[in-house]
């Protein structure tokens, strides 16, 4: 174990360290958390390798141990992003929607105190913990509700789910099948997924994440990752990917990324991708379809609510030693950069994008 230094709190019987134990110990603790701070797929240890290998970031995962027995009482996955342009960030978890500490109240407090100390010691511009639920004791942190997630009940299988969908949505799902669109789901779809995803991100004016990120995620989470691609005449035209976790009533699938080619908007192939993923997970006994994070009231939010969903507030905790605010998603500079990026050649966007996006704590 590597001591985490100033964040150790022996007075309450907790020692905070940088975790260097086996992945099975970390994941075994994570999946057992089902209380006020339940685990998500973002808490699993495999993301450490993805962040370090595919994105090139140091990931100082923190563990809170009982100082007497050495048993885990809490965990906090952290990723350190260093950028000459934007500064340094500590995020749990960047490029994903959830994170934050797990464990008993004392362990969570100790982990957050250590993360705060790291931010002060290492010149961090912003420490952000993307918690799914409220953290009861979070001094010095500002809570942000700028993001929500959108959930849909999938219990009872796909036939029951189909009957619950609004008639307009069912019509939009049928349309692409009449046009000859079909969907394939499997680990072998990562390449086709990335082909659609990269073009779509360029068209949106956003640098694309590296293909290796998705390849490693599919490898690390082979049993829980789902990649779906819609084809028309052999051409991939829409896609979606995500992960499932949990058991019984708490089982959940989150679609983290989804894209569709603008040239094929008329076919509504994205609706079929969403439905085939819903059908797949509902028939597998997973109870909740999670549409992922979005900004309340935006176009993406409206797309998700048409399915008959429930909004869930997210609790993102921010701390800055310098008083810096989270990066703005919309500004005059951002809009100009987006417009410029959307017009550069796709091969150049695919070359430069992964080198840029790794430095932005999305």
């Amino acid at each position: 174990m590597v001591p985490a230094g100033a964040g150790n709190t022996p007075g309450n019987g907790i020692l905070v360290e940088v975790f260097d134990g086996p992945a099975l110990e970390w994941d075994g603790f994570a999946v057992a958390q089902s209380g006020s701070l339940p685990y998500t797929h973002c808490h699993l240890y495999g993301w450490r390798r993805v962040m370090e290998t595919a994105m090139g970031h140091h990931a100082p995962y923190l563990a809170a141990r009982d100082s007497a027995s050495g048993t885990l009482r809490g965990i906090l996955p952290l990723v350190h992003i260093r950028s000459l342009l934007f500064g340094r960030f500590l995020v749990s978890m960047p490029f994903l929607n959830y994170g934050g500490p797990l464990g008993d109240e004392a362990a969570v407090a100790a982990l957050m105190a250590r993360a705060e100390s790291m931010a002060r010691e290492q010149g961090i511009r912003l420490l952000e913990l993307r918690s799914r639920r409220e953290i009861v004791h979070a001094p010095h942190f500002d809570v942000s509700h700028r993001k929500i997630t959108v959930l849909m009940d999938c219990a009872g299988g796909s036939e029951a789910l189909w009957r619950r969908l609004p008639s307009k949505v069912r019509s939009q799902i049928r349309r692409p099948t009449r046009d000859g669109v079909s969907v394939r789901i499997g680990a072998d779809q990562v390449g086709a997924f990335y082909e659609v995803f990269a073009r779509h991100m360029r068209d949106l004016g956003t640098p694309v994440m590296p293909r290796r990120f998705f390849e490693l995620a599919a490898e690390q989470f082979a049993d829980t990752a789902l990649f779906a691609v819609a084809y028309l005449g052999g051409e991939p035209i829409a896609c979606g990917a995500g992960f499932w976790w949990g058991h019984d009533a708490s089982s959940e699938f989150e679609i983290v990324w989804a894209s569709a080619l603008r040239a094929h908007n008329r076919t509504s192939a994205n609706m079929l991708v969403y439905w085939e993923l819903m059908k797949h997970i509902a028939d597998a006994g997973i109870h909740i379809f999670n549409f992922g994070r979005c900004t309340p009231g935006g176009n993406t939010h409206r797309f998700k609510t048409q399915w008959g969903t429930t909004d869930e507030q997210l609790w993102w905790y921010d701390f800055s030693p310098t008083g810096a605010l989270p990066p703005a998603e919309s500004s005059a500079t951002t809009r100009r950069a987006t417009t410029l990026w959307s017009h550069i050649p796709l091969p150049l966007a695919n070359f430069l994008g992964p080198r840029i996006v790794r430095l932005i704590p999305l």
Side-chain angles (χ1 to χ4, degrees), residues 27-109:
D27 285 348
F29 180 87
V31 301
Q33 306 308 301
S34 58
S36 60
L37 294 175
Y39 93 102
T40 69
H41 73 93
C42 306
H43 289 95
L44 296 178
Y45 191 82
W47 286 112
R48 192 178 202 179
R49 184 185 176 211
V50 175
M51 296 296 174
E52 291 184 337
T53 303
M55 305 302 283
H57 296 310
H58 175 51
Y61 276 32
L62 297 182
R65 294 189 180 275
D66 187 280
S67 58
S69 66
T71 58
L72 278 178
R73 290 180 55 181
I75 58 173
L76 174 58
L78 284 171
V79 178
H80 187 178
I81 299 173
R82 295 177 174 88
S83 169
L84 291 176
L85 181 60
F86 299 102
R88 293 186 174 194
F89 296 82
L90 272 176
V91 187
S92 176
M93 291 284 287
F95 317 108
L96 300 171
N97 300 331
Y98 313 121
L102 299 180
D104 63 58
E105 186 173 338
V108 166

Side-chain angles (χ1 to χ4, degrees), residues 196-350:
V196 175
F197 181 74
R199 180 177 288 274
H200 179 70
M201 295 302 285
R202 191 283 308 267
D203 291 346
L204 290 176
T206 302
V208 69
M209 295 164 68
R211 175 170 172 157
R212 186 60 177 148
F213 179 93
F214 300 101
E215 292 173 339
L216 268 179
E219 175 186 314
Q220 290 293 302
F221 306 105
D223 294 334
T224 58
L226 294 177
F227 285 80
V229 178
Y231 291 85
L232 178 61
E235 177 190 1
I237 62 172
C239 65
F243 308 86
W244 68 267
W245 70 95
H247 302 283
D248 302 324
S250 65
S251 56
E252 187 168 344
F253 170 82
E254 182 191 22
I255 183 168
V256 185
W257 307 283
S259 297
L261 300 185
R262 289 178 175 176
H264 297 278
N265 279 351
R266 185 190 62 81
T267 67
S268 299
N270 63 320
M271 297 294 289
L272 187 59
V273 168
Y274 273 82
W275 167 247
E276 289 296 335
L277 284 169
M278 291 174 188
K279 180 180 177 182
H280 184 94
I281 66 110
D283 289 339
I286 298 170
H287 284 223
I288 301 169
F289 186 93
N290 183 329
F291 284 82
R293 85 183 189 219
C294 60
T295 301
N299 290 335
T300 302
H301 185 206
R302 286 190 285 272
F303 168 82
K304 296 172 180 181
T305 57
Q306 70 178 324
W307 295 83
T309 56
T310 301
D311 292 348
E312 179 182 275
Q313 187 68 69
L314 296 182
W315 297 74
W316 287 12
Y317 290 85
D318 298 320
F319 169 76
S320 173
T322 63
L325 297 174
E329 295 184 3
S330 179
S331 66
T333 300
T334 301
R335 289 192 293 271
R336 286 194 295 270
T338 296
T339 300
L340 175 64
W341 194 269
S342 67
H343 289 90
I344 69 175
L346 183 61
L348 183 59
N350 287 349

Side-chain angles (χ1 to χ4, degrees), residues 162 166-176 178 268:
W162 179 259
S167 59
K168 181 179 179 181
V169 170
R170 293 199 299 266
S171 177
Q172 289 177 305
I173 292 170
R174 292 188 183 104
R175 183 188 305 163
R178 291 196 297 266
S268 299

